[in-house]
Amino acid sequence: MTSDYTTDEPSRSSLYDIRGPAVVEFGAPWCPWCQAAQPLIAKALEGLDDLPHFKIEDGKGRPLGRAFRVKLWPTLIFLRDGEEVARCVRPESAEPLQRALAEIAASS
């Protein structure tokens, strides 16, 4: 898992093309909510090194976050075959993240 948010966001169509499960995390490096959630996210993703996890810096003028209707940070979008299956906004424990991961693993 990478610890930094990237400003080099993928295109929405490239996310649609991903086969299998993936996680897209929107946030900002200076956001206290995002910083507080990082240990929870790391715990939920522990052992899932092969799972694509995109950490996208969101903010004004960033179209990908708007395309996914992101309003609060961090927002994690759980995709399966390019389609949103679950979403966690400002998680306060690892449990909702683990449930969302189970959904994208079980979806077909």
Side-chain angles (χ1 to χ4, degrees):
M1 180 174 92
T2 178
S3 61
D4 296 326
Y5 290 98
T6 181
T7 56
D8 185 24
E9 61 186 40
S11 68
R12 189 158 184 193
S13 63
S14 69
L15 294 175
Y16 287 148
D17 290 342
I18 295 173
R19 295 291 132 231
V23 178
V24 183
E25 176 184 344
F26 291 97
W30 51 263
C31 168
W33 289 94
C34 301
Q35 293 168 2
Q38 291 312 301
L40 304 172
I41 296 167
K43 180 179 179 183
L45 295 176
E46 192 172 62
L48 300 175
D49 298 331
D50 292 339
L51 177 70
H53 177 208
F54 301 90
K55 291 185 68 164
I56 309 299
E57 185 171 336
D58 195 30
K60 187 176 182 177
R62 308 292 304 173
L64 190 59
R66 302 304 66 73
F68 279 98
R69 301 170 320 281
V70 171
K71 299 202 185 284
L72 297 171
W73 301 327
T75 293
L76 291 95
I77 311 289
F78 296 82
L79 304 173
R80 176 75 185 186
D81 295 331
E83 298 207 17
E84 183 175 337
V85 173
R87 172 182 296 233
C88 289
V89 179
R90 290 191 176 170
E92 295 182 3
S93 74
E95 291 175 29
L97 300 167
Q98 291 166 335
R99 282 193 304 271
L101 287 165
E103 282 188 56
I104 61 173
S107 298
S108 16

